[in-house]
Amino acid sequence: MSTQILKSSHYSLMKFNSIWHSLGALSCGSLATYVSLKLLDRRQTHEVYREEETSCKSIWHHDWDRRKPLTSTLKGQANIIHEEAVALRHIVLVRHGEYTSSPDGGHLTELGRLQAHRTGQRLHEMGVAWDHVVASTMTRAQETAMIILKQINFDPLKMKRCELLPEGTPCPADPPQNRSVASVEQAFRRDGPRIEAAFRRYFFRASPEQKHDSYLLIIGHANVIRYLVCRALQFSPEAWTRFSLHHGSITWLTVWPTGYVTLRCLGDVGFMSVDELTLRRPRTIKEKVH
């Protein structure tokens, strides 16, 4: 504490001296001295800013998926051929439509079904041949998926239902949520490892054996999607509450053979009209009273 006070006092003294010299320079009519002192002060300020910028820089971790060796070896009779990965993995994340609360996870409202229909149309317009479709096991995600599958002409029997994707609390948020510390900690211990396992299951670079770009569609929930985005881009996972996702929104990430991950779009709902946009489920009469 005393060190901080001394530093603060020292800084104040330096500023005072700077002002004093400036006034003296002006009183003596020395414009050159005044300009020199101001340039020196500006240079010191610029150096402080550069130090702050350097401390905020983050370094990309190249081996985040532990697949950094991108070559496979094919042994022939006379030589060894090293084959590099060339394919991209596109991962498209869709939030379910608006829903009403119920013990089984909630059913879509009429608007929620319309949102899912709009999202399905948009995915169809993308002209993508989907390699895999995965959905959360919660009812609202399953109902959203069934509507979307009709639009993209994907066989429902080939869709996978993933027990790692249901909604939950991936980790304590920063800034913190409007919940008690105890409830957040309990939810994190229950959901966190599962949601992290979902990230590790679906996010990785293509292997050298994959020759063509692939497209994975995941239909899930806002908390999970936001956490997956933060993890994929190597942002602080605790930042997952700093942005919102509309119902039926589309988020698109691409994993490159080098291990780099790019965000093509986040929470896209430009294909819906303004009166079709919602963020939260409609409140019940009981909730409105309270």
Side-chain angles (χ1 to χ4, degrees):
M1 187 69 175
S2 59
T3 304
Q4 293 178 349
I5 294 174
L6 287 173
K7 288 183 177 179
S8 178
S9 301
H10 180 66
Y11 177 75
S12 300
L13 182 60
M14 289 178 61
K15 295 297 290 183
F16 176 78
N17 288 334
S18 176
I19 295 171
W20 179 257
H21 286 307
S22 299
L23 290 173
L26 287 175
S27 63
C28 297
S30 177
L31 180 61
T33 304
Y34 174 74
V35 171
S36 299
L37 289 170
K38 293 300 292 183
L39 289 174
L40 178 61
D41 184 61
R42 182 179 297 179
R43 180 180 177 183
Q44 291 174 343
T45 304
H46 180 66
E47 289 175 354
V48 171
Y49 286 155
R50 288 192 63 182
E51 289 178 2
E52 291 179 352
E53 290 175 359
T54 302
S55 64
C56 293
K57 287 183 178 178
S58 60
I59 300 175
W60 183 262
H61 177 50
H62 291 270
D63 198 24
W64 58 273
D65 58 351
R66 303 200 176 187
R67 297 193 179 197
K68 187 176 180 180
L70 298 179
T71 60
S72 62
T73 302
L74 302 176
K75 294 184 178 180
Q77 293 182 353
N79 56 8
I80 298 177
I81 302 173
H82 294 281
E83 187 178 15
E84 293 186 354
V86 294
L88 282 66
R89 294 191 66 247
H90 299 282
I91 304 172
V92 177
L93 305 157
V94 170
R95 188 188 180 192
H96 58 76
E98 184 191 61
Y99 69 102
T100 56
S101 180
S102 63
D104 62 351
H107 294 273
L108 295 183
T109 63
E110 286 296 328
L111 178 56
R113 284 189 280 273
L114 176 61
Q115 291 167 340
H117 181 78
R118 295 273 191 262
T119 304
Q121 287 181 321
R122 176 58 175 165
L123 294 173
H124 175 71
E125 291 170 357
M126 290 166 57
V128 170
W130 299 99
D131 297 278
H132 303 284
V133 177
V134 183
S136 159
T137 55
M138 298 188 80
T139 302
R140 58 185 183 266
Q142 290 289 310
E143 291 179 351
T144 301
M146 289 299 108
I147 296 173
I148 289 176
L149 293 182
K150 292 180 181 179
Q151 299 294 319
I152 63 175
N153 298 319
F154 193 90
D155 186 354
L157 296 178
K158 294 181 179 180
M159 184 189 76
K160 297 181 180 178
R161 294 163 175 79
C162 181
E163 70 286 352
L164 300 178
L165 293 173
E167 186 64 301
T169 301
C171 65
D174 182 21
Q177 297 171 274
N178 188 23
R179 298 164 56 186
S180 68
V181 176
S183 66
V184 171
E185 182 66 22
Q186 182 180 9
F188 165 58
R189 290 180 179 276
R190 180 192 64 224
D191 304 326
R194 168 178 58 80
I195 299 174
E196 173 62 21
F199 170 76
R200 300 189 183 193
R201 173 177 290 185
Y202 297 113
F203 283 81
F204 52 87
R205 74 192 80 185
S207 67
E209 288 73 26
Q210 181 177 325
K211 304 302 180 185
H212 303 285
D213 296 351
S214 62
Y215 292 85
L216 167 64
L217 175 61
I218 297 177
I219 302 165
H221 309 270
N223 292 1
V224 177
I225 293 174
R226 290 183 289 176
Y227 175 80
L228 295 177
V229 169
C230 288
R231 286 285 283 112
L233 298 179
Q234 297 189 15
F235 296 158
S236 172
E238 292 79 10
W240 63 273
T241 56
R242 299 180 191 177
F243 55 97
S244 301
L245 297 174
H246 284 89
H247 291 122
S249 62
I250 297 174
T251 297
W252 185 347
L253 292 150
T254 300
V255 184
W256 296 73
T258 58
Y260 287 132
V261 180
T262 53
L263 180 65
R264 296 203 170 195
C265 67
L266 175 67
D268 179 25
V269 286
F271 47 88
M272 297 187 197
S273 62
V274 174
D275 57 352
E276 294 171 351
L277 301 180
T278 55
L279 279 169
R280 302 179 181 276
R281 63 178 175 80
R283 298 174 64 189
T284 63
I285 297 177
K286 183 178 179 180
E287 289 174 328
K288 290 179 181 179
V289 171
H290 291 285

